[in-house]
Amino acid sequence: MSEQDDSTPRFPFSVNGKALAIVAAVIVLLGMITTSFFVVDQTEEAVVLRLGRYHRTAAPGLHFKLPLGLEQNYNVPTQAVQNMQFGFRLQQPGITPVMSQSDYKEESLMLTGDLNIVDVEWIIQYRITTPTDWLFNVEDQERTIRDISQSTVNRLVGDRAIIDVLGDERPAIELLAQDQMNEVFQGYNLGVTVTAVRLQNIVPPSGRVQDAFEDVNRAIQDMNRLINEGREAYNREIPRARGEAEQLVQVARGYAAERVNRARGDASRFVNVLREYRNDPRTTRTRLYYEMVEDVFAPDEPKTEHDRPELIDRNLSNFIPLLNMQRQDNTPGGAR
């Protein structure tokens, strides 16, 4: 009778069923321990699913959950402000940012209301406000944000002329784009709020159009420079002219006050003299006569050392010893 072949695999060591049960229990216990808690950062909120259904939202901190995949957590950065670039990409942000060399003209080239092409680069800043809406209502959140933002800015630029887009309408476009994006996001229940829209770089297409706009910009800069120079000259000359005018006004007021006071004094003196004249006319006439003679013959201040306040020529340079009043030179004996 031939021997039957035994094909059952044999291990080089003996297998103990009790040891296998202990190892399996340890593995299950470790799995339960490692999958029964999770950590939420300060800038995040965690959405917890139980058997694939929404169960709760966890705040920052250490939290426990059902192990072995019965509950799953998805951390969402609700407190962080995120940004998205259009028309360019930042490879390395910082004090000196490094820009990507790739071309994103399909995002930045737009048609204005006056049928001109303009290259617009912008960024948006947004924050996730409702983590459940962010996770469950839209499949591709970032693509949705990018498409809505691009269509909104294209529509706003297309409603305006190119000179307005390059000039004073930039703040209006930013505010309107922020409001319209938030309105669309609320309609989609995306759970996102746009906090800012910033137009970074707006340039006309290269060629003759760009050269013409550069000439316009240089003319505007020259105009602003001349305006500033005119304002500087105005601020320098006007206060000085006002000071001189105020000085003349003060001098005139002082002169007017002096003349008025002198006239009042003369009038008061005349009234007093008139009163005395009525009391004693003869004495008053005599006193007035003497005062008049004193005023007429009162000595003047000598102009030079040879001028004398007397009528008598003390140098006797004339035949009659009287002061030569018509002599024009200042040397003695120099009569002509």
Side-chain angles (χ1 to χ4, degrees):
M1 183 174 182
S2 62
E3 296 181 357
Q4 185 178 0
D5 294 337
D6 188 4
S7 62
T8 303
R10 298 180 180 275
F11 296 98
F13 54 89
S14 60
V15 178
N16 190 350
K18 186 177 181 179
L20 287 176
I22 293 174
V23 172
V26 170
I27 293 175
V28 171
L29 181 61
L30 289 177
M32 293 178 63
I33 292 174
T34 55
T35 59
S36 62
F37 65 90
F38 61 95
V39 178
V40 182
D41 191 73
Q42 293 294 328
T43 61
E44 298 175 338
E45 292 182 13
V47 177
V48 181
L49 304 182
R50 179 176 293 179
L51 298 178
R53 183 184 295 272
Y54 171 75
H55 184 260
R56 67 184 183 275
T57 301
L62 179 64
H63 300 275
F64 294 93
K65 64 179 179 178
L66 296 180
L68 302 178
L70 297 177
E71 288 186 349
Q72 295 178 340
N73 66 287
Y74 298 91
N75 293 2
V76 180
T78 57
Q79 301 300 322
V81 176
Q82 306 180 54
N83 63 76
M84 188 175 294
Q85 300 94 23
F86 296 84
F88 69 100
R89 298 293 186 272
L90 287 178
Q91 288 185 346
Q92 182 178 354
I95 299 177
T96 306
V98 179
M99 307 296 293
S100 175
Q101 300 298 324
S102 301
D103 191 7
Y104 298 94
K105 295 297 183 182
E106 70 279 1
E107 296 178 352
S108 59
L109 287 180
M110 302 179 187
L111 187 65
T112 61
D114 53 355
L115 303 180
N116 283 305
I117 298 177
V118 65
D119 191 355
V120 181
E121 297 177 355
W122 80 96
I123 64 171
I124 65 169
Q125 295 178 347
Y126 64 93
R127 187 172 62 86
I128 302 173
T129 56
T130 308
T132 54
D133 293 344
W134 172 261
L135 291 175
F136 305 134
N137 290 343
V138 178
E139 181 178 357
D140 191 349
Q141 300 92 337
E142 292 187 358
R143 188 65 204 176
T144 302
I145 294 175
R146 184 170 293 276
D147 291 343
I148 294 174
S149 301
Q150 189 171 352
S151 64
T152 302
V153 175
N154 272 273
R155 182 173 63 255
L156 292 174
V157 171
D159 292 339
R160 290 163 174 80
I162 186 172
I163 191 65
D164 296 330
V165 176
L166 294 173
D168 299 336
E169 290 293 323
R170 294 184 60 169
I173 294 175
E174 294 174 349
L175 293 177
L176 289 175
Q178 179 179 346
D179 295 338
Q180 294 181 11
M181 290 178 193
N182 286 328
E183 184 178 355
V184 176
F185 291 154
Q186 290 177 2
Y188 286 171
N189 291 325
L190 188 57
V192 169
T193 299
V194 178
T195 59
V197 177
R198 295 288 181 267
L199 301 180
Q200 297 293 319
N201 189 22
I202 303 177
V203 294
S206 59
R208 297 178 61 184
V209 177
Q210 186 174 4
D211 295 339
F213 275 98
E214 289 179 356
D215 292 339
V216 172
N217 292 330
R218 285 193 292 268
I220 293 174
Q221 294 176 359
D222 293 339
M223 179 189 68
N224 294 330
R225 177 178 57 82
L226 294 176
I227 290 174
N228 293 330
E229 291 177 357
R231 289 176 178 174
E232 180 182 359
Y234 175 87
N235 295 331
R236 182 177 62 251
E237 296 296 333
I238 294 301
R240 183 175 62 84
R242 288 176 178 173
E244 293 177 354
E246 185 66 23
Q247 181 181 3
L248 293 176
V249 170
Q250 296 298 331
V251 170
R253 288 177 179 175
Y255 179 74
E258 179 186 1
R259 293 300 300 267
V260 169
N261 294 330
R262 181 180 299 177
R264 289 176 179 175
D266 293 342
S268 178
R269 179 174 177 273
F270 179 79
V271 171
N272 294 331
V273 172
L274 180 61
R275 186 183 303 112
E276 295 297 331
Y277 180 80
R278 289 175 178 175
N279 293 332
D280 190 357
R282 182 176 181 180
T283 304
T284 304
R285 281 199 304 268
T286 304
R287 183 166 61 84
L288 291 175
Y289 176 77
Y290 289 156
E291 290 179 358
M292 183 272 294
V293 172
E294 289 178 357
D295 291 338
V296 171
F297 293 99
D300 297 331
E301 292 295 331
K303 297 180 180 179
T304 60
E305 61 179 359
H306 300 290
D307 294 334
R308 300 295 182 180
E310 300 91 355
L311 294 176
I312 303 300
D313 187 5
R314 297 184 182 273
N315 294 326
L316 299 177
S317 58
N318 295 315
F319 293 102
I320 300 176
L322 296 177
L323 186 63
N324 188 3
M325 303 300 294
Q326 297 180 351
R327 186 176 59 195
Q328 297 181 359
D329 58 339
N330 294 328
T331 57
R336 296 181 181 178

Coordinates of all heavy atoms in Angstrom, one line a residue, residues 270-304:
F270 N -7.0 174.1 21.1 CA -7.6 175.2 20.6 C -8.8 175.7 21.5 O -9.0 176.9 21.7 CB -8.1 175.0 19.2 CG -8.8 176.1 18.5 CD1 -8.1 177.2 18.0 CD2 -10.2 176.1 18.5 CE1 -8.8 178.2 17.4 CE2 -10.9 177.2 17.9 CZ -10.2 178.3 17.4
V271 N -9.6 174.7 21.9 CA -10.7 175.0 22.8 C -10.2 175.7 24.1 O -10.8 176.7 24.6 CB -11.5 173.8 23.1 CG1 -12.6 174.0 24.2 CG2 -12.2 173.3 21.8
N272 N -9.1 175.2 24.7 CA -8.6 175.8 25.9 C -8.1 177.2 25.7 O -8.3 178.1 26.5 CB -7.5 174.9 26.4 CG -8.0 173.5 26.9 OD1 -9.2 173.4 27.3 ND2 -7.1 172.5 26.8
V273 N -7.4 177.4 24.5 CA -6.9 178.7 24.2 C -8.0 179.7 24.0 O -8.0 180.8 24.4 CB -6.0 178.6 22.9 CG1 -5.6 180.0 22.5 CG2 -4.7 177.9 23.3
L274 N -9.1 179.2 23.3 CA -10.3 180.0 23.0 C -10.9 180.4 24.4 O -11.4 181.6 24.5 CB -11.3 179.3 22.2 CG -12.6 180.0 21.8 CD1 -12.3 181.3 21.1 CD2 -13.5 179.1 21.0
R275 N -11.0 179.5 25.3 CA -11.6 179.8 26.6 C -10.7 180.9 27.3 O -11.3 181.9 27.9 CB -11.6 178.6 27.4 CG -12.4 178.8 28.8 CD -12.4 177.5 29.6 NE -13.0 176.4 28.9 CZ -12.3 175.3 28.5 NH1 -11.0 175.3 28.7 NH2 -13.0 174.4 27.8
E276 N -9.4 180.8 27.3 CA -8.5 181.8 27.9 C -8.6 183.1 27.1 O -8.5 184.2 27.8 CB -7.1 181.3 27.9 CG -6.9 180.0 28.8 CD -7.2 180.3 30.2 OE1 -7.0 181.5 30.7 OE2 -7.6 179.4 30.9
Y277 N -8.7 183.0 25.8 CA -8.8 184.3 25.0 C -10.1 185.0 25.4 O -10.1 186.3 25.5 CB -8.8 183.9 23.5 CG -8.9 185.2 22.7 CD1 -7.8 186.0 22.4 CD2 -10.1 185.5 22.1 CE1 -7.9 187.1 21.6 CE2 -10.2 186.6 21.3 CZ -9.1 187.4 21.0 OH -9.1 188.5 20.2
R278 N -11.1 184.3 25.6 CA -12.4 185.0 26.0 C -12.3 185.6 27.4 O -12.9 186.7 27.6 CB -13.5 184.1 25.9 CG -13.9 183.6 24.5 CD -15.0 182.6 24.5 NE -15.4 182.2 23.1 CZ -16.3 181.3 22.9 NH1 -16.8 180.5 23.8 NH2 -16.6 181.0 21.6
N279 N -11.5 185.0 28.2 CA -11.3 185.6 29.6 C -10.4 186.8 29.5 O -10.7 187.8 30.2 CB -10.7 184.5 30.5 CG -11.7 183.4 30.8 OD1 -12.9 183.6 30.7 ND2 -11.2 182.2 31.0
D280 N -9.3 186.7 28.8 CA -8.3 187.9 28.7 C -7.8 187.9 27.3 O -6.7 187.4 27.0 CB -7.2 187.6 29.8 CG -6.4 188.9 29.9 OD1 -6.6 189.9 29.2 OD2 -5.5 188.9 30.8
P281 N -8.4 188.6 26.4 CA -7.9 188.6 25.0 C -6.6 189.2 24.8 O -5.7 188.7 24.0 CB -9.0 189.5 24.2 CG -10.2 189.4 25.1 CD -9.7 189.3 26.5
R282 N -6.3 190.3 25.5 CA -5.0 191.0 25.3 C -3.8 190.1 25.7 O -2.8 189.9 25.0 CB -5.0 192.3 26.0 CG -3.7 193.1 25.8 CD -3.8 194.4 26.6 NE -2.6 195.2 26.4 CZ -2.4 196.4 26.9 NH1 -3.4 197.0 27.6 NH2 -1.3 197.1 26.6
T283 N -3.9 189.5 26.9 CA -2.8 188.7 27.4 C -2.6 187.4 26.5 O -1.5 187.0 26.2 CB -3.1 188.3 28.8 OG1 -3.3 189.4 29.6 CG2 -1.9 187.4 29.4
T284 N -3.7 186.9 26.1 CA -3.7 185.7 25.3 C -3.1 186.0 23.9 O -2.2 185.2 23.4 CB -5.1 185.1 25.1 OG1 -5.7 184.9 26.4 CG2 -5.0 183.8 24.3
R285 N -3.4 187.2 23.3 CA -2.8 187.5 22.0 C -1.3 187.7 22.2 O -0.5 187.2 21.3 CB -3.4 188.8 21.5 CG -4.8 188.6 20.8 CD -5.1 189.8 19.9 NE -5.1 191.0 20.6 CZ -6.1 191.6 21.2 NH1 -7.3 191.0 21.2 NH2 -6.0 192.8 21.9
T286 N -0.9 188.3 23.3 CA 0.6 188.5 23.5 C 1.3 187.2 23.6 O 2.4 187.0 23.1 CB 0.8 189.4 24.7 OG1 0.1 190.6 24.5 CG2 2.3 189.7 24.9
R287 N 0.7 186.3 24.4 CA 1.4 185.0 24.6 C 1.4 184.2 23.3 O 2.4 183.5 23.0 CB 0.6 184.2 25.7 CG 1.2 182.8 26.0 CD 0.6 182.3 27.3 NE -0.9 182.1 27.1 CZ -1.4 181.0 26.5 NH1 -0.6 180.1 26.1 NH2 -2.7 180.9 26.4
L288 N 0.4 184.3 22.5 CA 0.4 183.6 21.3 C 1.4 184.1 20.3 O 2.1 183.4 19.6 CB -1.0 183.6 20.6 CG -2.1 182.8 21.3 CD1 -3.4 183.1 20.6 CD2 -1.8 181.3 21.3
Y289 N 1.6 185.5 20.4 CA 2.6 186.1 19.5 C 4.0 185.7 19.9 O 4.8 185.3 19.1 CB 2.5 187.6 19.6 CG 3.6 188.4 18.9 CD1 3.5 188.5 17.5 CD2 4.7 188.9 19.6 CE1 4.5 189.2 16.8 CE2 5.6 189.6 18.9 CZ 5.5 189.7 17.5 OH 6.5 190.4 16.8
Y290 N 4.3 185.6 21.2 CA 5.6 185.2 21.7 C 5.9 183.7 21.3 O 7.0 183.3 20.9 CB 5.7 185.3 23.2 CG 5.8 186.8 23.6 CD1 5.4 187.2 24.9 CD2 6.3 187.8 22.8 CE1 5.5 188.5 25.3 CE2 6.4 189.1 23.2 CZ 6.0 189.4 24.4 OH 6.1 190.7 24.8
E291 N 4.9 182.9 21.4 CA 5.0 181.5 21.1 C 5.3 181.3 19.6 O 6.1 180.5 19.2 CB 3.8 180.7 21.5 CG 3.6 180.5 23.0 CD 2.3 179.8 23.3 OE1 1.6 179.4 22.4 OE2 2.1 179.5 24.5
M292 N 4.6 182.1 18.8 CA 4.9 182.1 17.3 C 6.3 182.5 17.0 O 7.0 181.9 16.2 CB 3.9 182.9 16.6 CG 3.9 182.9 15.1 SD 5.1 184.1 14.4 CE 4.2 185.6 14.8
V293 N 6.8 183.6 17.6 CA 8.2 184.0 17.4 C 9.2 183.0 17.8 O 10.2 182.7 17.1 CB 8.4 185.4 18.1 CG1 9.9 185.8 18.0 CG2 7.6 186.4 17.4
E294 N 8.9 182.3 18.9 CA 9.8 181.3 19.4 C 9.9 180.1 18.4 O 10.9 179.5 18.2 CB 9.4 180.8 20.8 CG 9.7 181.8 21.9 CD 9.2 181.3 23.2 OE1 8.6 180.2 23.3 OE2 9.4 182.0 24.2
D295 N 8.7 179.8 17.9 CA 8.7 178.7 16.9 C 9.4 179.0 15.6 O 10.1 178.2 15.0 CB 7.2 178.3 16.6 CG 6.5 177.7 17.8 OD1 7.3 177.1 18.7 OD2 5.3 177.6 17.8
V296 N 9.3 180.3 15.2 CA 9.9 180.7 13.9 C 11.4 180.7 14.1 O 12.2 180.2 13.2 CB 9.4 182.0 13.5 CG1 10.2 182.6 12.3 CG2 7.9 181.9 13.0
F297 N 11.9 181.3 15.2 CA 13.4 181.5 15.4 C 14.0 180.3 16.2 O 15.1 180.5 16.7 CB 13.6 182.8 16.0 CG 13.3 184.0 15.2 CD1 12.1 184.7 15.3 CD2 14.2 184.4 14.2 CE1 11.8 185.8 14.5 CE2 13.9 185.5 13.4 CZ 12.7 186.2 13.5
A298 N 13.3 179.3 16.4 CA 13.9 178.1 17.1 C 15.0 177.5 16.3 O 14.9 177.4 15.1 CB 12.8 177.1 17.4
P299 N 16.1 177.2 16.9 CA 17.3 176.7 16.2 C 17.0 175.2 15.7 O 16.4 174.4 16.4 CB 18.4 176.7 17.2 CG 17.7 176.6 18.5 CD 16.4 177.4 18.4
D300 N 17.4 175.0 14.4 CA 17.3 173.7 13.9 C 18.6 172.9 14.2 O 19.6 173.4 14.6 CB 17.1 173.7 12.3 CG 15.8 174.4 12.0 OD1 14.9 174.3 12.8 OD2 15.8 175.0 10.9
E301 N 18.5 171.5 14.0 CA 19.7 170.7 14.2 C 20.7 171.0 13.1 O 20.3 171.0 12.0 CB 19.2 169.2 14.2 CG 18.4 168.8 15.3 CD 19.1 168.9 16.7 OE1 20.3 168.7 16.7 OE2 18.4 169.1 17.7
P302 N 21.9 171.2 13.5 CA 23.0 171.4 12.5 C 23.2 170.2 11.6 O 23.3 169.1 12.1 CB 24.2 171.8 13.3 CG 24.0 171.2 14.6 CD 22.5 171.2 14.8
K303 N 23.3 170.4 10.3 CA 23.5 169.3 9.4 C 25.0 168.9 9.3 O 25.3 167.8 9.2 CB 23.0 169.7 8.0 CG 21.5 170.0 7.9 CD 21.1 170.3 6.5 CE 19.6 170.6 6.5 NZ 19.1 170.9 5.1
T304 N 25.9 169.9 9.3 CA 27.3 169.6 9.3 C 28.0 170.5 10.4 O 27.4 171.3 11.1 CB 28.0 170.0 7.9 OG1 27.8 171.4 7.7 CG2 27.3 169.2 6.8

